[in-house]
Amino acid sequence: MKKLTRVNDFVIRFANVNGSGSASANNLFAKAVFRLGVPVSPKNIFPSNIQGLPTWYEVRVSEQGYLGRRGGYDFIVAVNGQTLEKDYDDLLPGGYFLYDSTRLLSDHFKRKDITPIGIPLTDICNREIENPKLRPLLKNILYVGAVAFLLDMDFSVLTDSITKQFSKKPKLAEPNIRCLELGFDYASKHFSDVCKLSVKRSDKLSTHILMDGNSATALGAVYSGATVAGWYPITPSTSVIEAFDKFTRQYRLDESKKRKAAIIQAEDELAALGIAIGASWNGARAFTATSGPGISLMNELLGLAYFTEIPVVLVNVQRAGPSTGMPTRTQQSDTLACAYASHGDTKHVLLFPCDPTECFQMAADSFDLAESLQTPVILMSDLDLGMNDHVCLPMEWDDSRKYCRGKVLDRDQLDSLTQDFGRYLDTDGDGVCYRTIPGTHPQKGAFFTRGSSHDEYAGYTEDTDVYKQCMERLSQKWETAKTLVPSPRIKVQDKAGDGGAIFYGTSTHAAYEAMEMLDKKGIALDTMRLRGFPFQNEVREFIDRHETLFVIEQNRDGQMRTLLMNELGFAPDKLISITHIDGTPIDARHICQSIETKLTQTLTPKGGAA
Amino acid sequence: MSSRRPVFRHPDLPKNDLGYTRRDYEGADSTLCAGCGHDSISNSIIQACFELSIEPHRVAKLSGIGCSSKTPAYFLRRSHGFNTVHGRMPSITTGANMANKELLYIGVSGDGDTASIGMGQFVHVARRNLNMVYIVMNNGCYGLTKGQDSATADKGSSSRKGRPNAFEAIDLCEMAVQLGAGFVARGFSGDKEQLVPILKAAMLHKGFALVDVISPCVTFNNNQTSTKSYQWVRDHMEATATFDVIPVRQEITAQYEKGATQSVALHDGTVIHLHKSDNSFDVTDRRSAVNALENHREKGQILTGILHVNQTLEDTHDILETTDKPLNQLTQKELCPGNQTLQQIFENYR
């Protein structure tokens, strides 16, 4: 058997029972790799459940800086009896299987192409830890200690992490450190020189941070001056608001400790968006965060905001649908539902962040964008981005930056108006009109917002021409939006032929890695990472320049491909769908294989079939 | 169109403390049916705002969908208005109020808009004690869709369609009391003498104020067999008390008989004096309000007037401990923690 032998380049998977405290232990491991300066990408694959169901935590260690999922597992820590056989079978040949040897393995476990590492975790805990309540928790720390030895990690990084974590409760640090040592010592005694995978200190990370997308999004909202949030708890978006709450409690208090933010947990998603729209209408920057089922409910009010032209920011942390779907698994399957949310002719501005840095930037920009365009802006995050930790560079806030509040008339401007104020008068010809905030002026600027058809002065109308003009002006505004949404990131390869690849959001990292894999096999593709909707001319031109393009995304139906075809009029043959729909983050090997397969199919002579 | 008002304004029209005439509080011409109770309520809102010398531009008027929800266009033309979507006025008003705590929020809804499609939002805006006046123009039917029974139609009552309503009626006032609303009153669009002071008290009250106004639908639900017709309400209406609302600056001159009068001081110092017909009724006691409503319901009567007042409650802003300055007036400097702080925050992510 050839053992997998690699330094700073492998995937380790922890298989646990959820609710057993494994998350913090596994996080301890990932953070240690990060603190050793090695690029690391942890993915928590967890059930929609509080206690007792299988959960996995995958950590990719990549000196080369690949942060997407690779596919396959080189080392498995299997401490969940329910999934033990499957975990065993999933291990790549040459890999390592660490299990709790307190119980003997059955006849199923007979692979000759892997290295079993049996450690009596339960026995050691029962023997060494007096308090039975602490045993299940500390069992997790025990295997982290063992893994640290097996991977030849600098042990002090782990102990320092524990010390830092329990700096306020040093008494709790002591048993944790002891368990780390117990695991480390057992492994060094029994499995010396067994594991050929290792983590070596590196200088690949400099000022990097390890952060989840939802926290970054919330920070973006804080920095861009959002003051009102309406929300309804839903996985995986809940932590956006929780983080916004935490940050505003720290950094948004007045002298008397009163809060410069109002966060309301609403009765449902309808009310959550209603609160954000009402606040925006009244001149505050406001937002809500939700996920698929919430988007379905919010359709009604998204249409209202679109037609009445009220800026509002909606964060959609997508999960696997349809219906309740898989609430704790990731997907990019709300693309179409968000692009055209609500009845009637509606279109919404979408932003596609690919990492926490962009979550922060795009969240901050989304308020400028919404107010400049006076329309909803939807930030299309997802569970993988929102809830997992990602290595990224720290964001910078330009202190000279001024919030762009859009066309809002203040009291003086109303006084100097030479004509009657018309809320929906397109005086600038860009489809965006001037609005006023309630309470601004005693005599001027009041208007009546309504979701029913309205004229340029916001008066009710059923005049067909007036209605038509209004709808056409909204199309004009859509053209203006194209000049404001973030442009795509295009990479052109010298040797690339007629092929291209298009992707967005969390498909990005795995897609770039897949492109390198393909490149090594002689398949060079130009790439375009979409960052916003509506699509600019650049997007059209990129597609025009190529004969065949692969659209890589995490949904069944190729929703972005449909959107590109629908908006830009491309023929279906030109855009080939590469999808990943099982609810886990997309991985590079899958993309690479899928594209190779499609290429073989397309290149095979069609035998004269018309 | 029920009425056309002349543009001419008589120079001798009475003015309020701000120098505004009643005309300054009017809105566009109503497009409701002639004789619609809702128009009377609009007029009462105009009268109440005029008498209280409220700056029209310091009012935000919001509504849902339905005949009732059209009315904000017919009063306070100088106020911003928002005709939202069906049943969602409470959430939009909540957001608006969060953005600026200093305006007066008048929400107008109907019985369909509140007791059916918007029940969830009504319940939650009440329990959050949002500082607003929530007016239900309650006619027991869906007017805009031609007279279907609504959830407040009494069991056995029949509209012009003639089929008796088979379902239990929802009493919004009784619900509001149970939900902890700080001000609950019921009026009748045909009794402006009572409705105007109710609205004034509701506007002066800090916190959630429900004013459920029975407002007959002259087109679909004003027949003899309907319990929401003008005639039926006049014949079966009984008031908790007659009352005076004495604003803070006004001297109290009237003498009230001891025992039968209850005085409640509002947040700003305004005092409501109630002259009760039944001395056992205590307007500050939730149980007393529910009992009185139930007793009258059993007797087939409609209890009107101020049903419950509790001035001790915190409103939503108090509960959330928001800063004194309206959130929509905070500057970038007051909101953005700056790059140095941002870099400090990132220390926790290393």
Side-chain angles (χ1 to χ4, degrees), chain A residues 12-160:
Chain A
I12 179 168
R13 182 177 231 214
F14 299 89
N16 302 90
V17 178
N18 86 315
S20 67
S22 59
S24 54
N26 299 338
N27 187 259
L28 173 72
F29 170 76
K31 199 117 191 188
V33 176
F34 171 78
R35 286 176 178 158
L36 285 166
V38 185
V40 62
S41 175
K43 307 272 183 216
N44 194 4
I45 295 164
F46 60 104
S48 178
N49 178 267
I50 300 301
Q51 204 171 50
L53 288 183
T55 183
W56 293 272
Y57 191 82
E58 273 180 45
V59 182
R60 180 171 189 191
V61 179
S62 170
E63 175 83 10
Q64 286 171 285
Y66 294 125
L67 298 173
R69 247 175 119 220
R70 186 199 67 187
Y73 314 107
D74 307 318
F75 193 127
I76 289 182
V77 177
V79 286
N80 180 5
Q82 301 167 69
T83 61
L84 204 62
E85 288 193 7
K86 190 175 182 314
D87 294 327
Y88 186 78
D89 296 344
D90 281 351
L91 185 62
L92 285 171
Y96 306 87
F97 186 74
L98 191 161
Y99 64 100
D100 185 353
S101 60
T102 306
R103 284 176 70 180
L104 287 176
L105 292 180
S106 73
D107 288 347
H108 177 86
F109 300 82
K110 284 190 285 201
R111 284 177 70 173
K112 296 286 177 226
D113 60 345
I114 59 145
T115 305
I117 301 170
I119 298 180
L121 300 168
T122 309
D123 270 353
I124 300 175
C125 280
N126 291 348
R127 191 176 64 235
E128 302 286 341
I129 301 157
E130 278 183 28
N131 185 347
K133 276 190 198 158
L134 287 176
R135 283 174 192 158
L137 285 169
L138 292 172
K139 191 164 85 176
N140 301 318
I141 301 293
L142 199 77
Y143 69 64
V144 173
V147 166
F149 170 80
L150 293 164
L151 297 176
D152 199 18
M153 290 168 76
D154 180 347
F155 194 63
S156 65
V157 177
L158 288 161
T159 49
D160 287 353

Side-chain angles (χ1 to χ4, degrees), chain B residues 195-208:
Chain B
L195 183 56
V196 173
I198 284 179
L199 288 169
K200 284 163 71 175
M203 288 172 189
L204 293 168
H205 171 82
K206 186 191 168 198
F208 186 77

Side-chain angles (χ1 to χ4, degrees), chain A residues 256-486:
Chain A
S256 51
K257 302 284 176 207
K258 284 181 155 182
R259 304 185 64 179
K260 290 185 273 187
I263 302 168
I264 293 190
Q265 183 183 321
E267 53 273 28
D268 53 35
E269 284 92 345
L270 304 168
L273 184 57
I275 288 164
I277 289 173
S280 284
W281 174 75
N282 211 2
R285 286 194 152 180
F287 75 108
T288 185
T290 191
S291 189
I295 293 292
S296 291
L297 289 181
M298 289 177 182
N299 267 249
E300 177 189 53
L301 283 157
L302 277 169
L304 175 77
Y306 174 81
F307 196 40
T308 55
E309 301 180 59
I310 296 171
V312 71
V313 172
L314 165 55
V315 178
N316 179 12
V317 188
Q318 297 168 88
R319 65 190 215 186
S323 189
T324 306
M326 292 198 285
T328 58
R329 301 298 158 91
T330 197
Q331 251 177 15
Q332 298 178 304
S333 51
D334 298 342
T335 308
L336 285 172
C338 287
Y340 302 125
S342 205
H343 55 271
D345 287 321
T346 51
K347 293 182 176 197
H348 306 291
V349 174
L350 311 181
L351 303 176
F352 304 105
C354 78
D355 60 16
T357 310
E358 279 195 341
C359 282
F360 176 82
Q361 288 163 348
M362 287 185 177
D365 293 347
S366 65
F367 290 92
D368 284 359
L369 210 50
E371 291 191 324
S372 297
L373 291 165
Q374 299 176 10
T375 199
V377 172
I378 309 177
L379 185 70
M380 302 291 283
S381 179
D382 62 28
L383 182 139
D384 178 22
L385 176 53
M387 293 187 72
N388 284 322
D389 285 336
H390 302 261
V391 167
C392 58
L393 284 166
M395 313 81 185
E396 294 283 330
W397 178 263
D398 176 1
D399 284 323
S400 67
R401 174 176 172 166
K402 290 271 170 289
Y403 296 161
C404 180
R405 304 299 309 262
K407 299 180 185 179
V408 181
L409 296 178
D410 62 20
R411 191 171 172 144
D412 292 342
Q413 288 167 313
L414 281 168
D415 272 330
S416 57
L417 274 189
T418 49
Q419 54 178 6
D420 281 350
F421 168 71
R423 168 66 183 94
Y424 300 109
L425 262 178
D426 185 11
T427 48
D428 300 337
D430 59 359
V432 185
C433 312
Y434 289 82
R435 64 183 189 127
T436 56
I437 306 302
T440 301
H441 195 290
Q443 314 288 339
K444 296 175 177 175
F447 69 97
F448 201 78
T449 308
R450 58 180 93 235
S452 46
S453 175
H454 40 266
D455 62 21
E456 292 172 322
Y457 296 88
Y460 180 81
T461 185
E462 291 175 13
D463 184 308
T464 47
D465 288 337
V466 174
Y467 167 77
K468 224 175 107 193
Q469 274 165 24
C470 175
M471 291 303 287
E472 281 163 359
R473 181 180 55 74
L474 289 170
S475 287
Q476 178 62 38
K477 181 156 89 171
W478 190 246
E479 292 302 311
T480 303
K482 291 179 184 174
T483 66
L484 296 176
V485 298

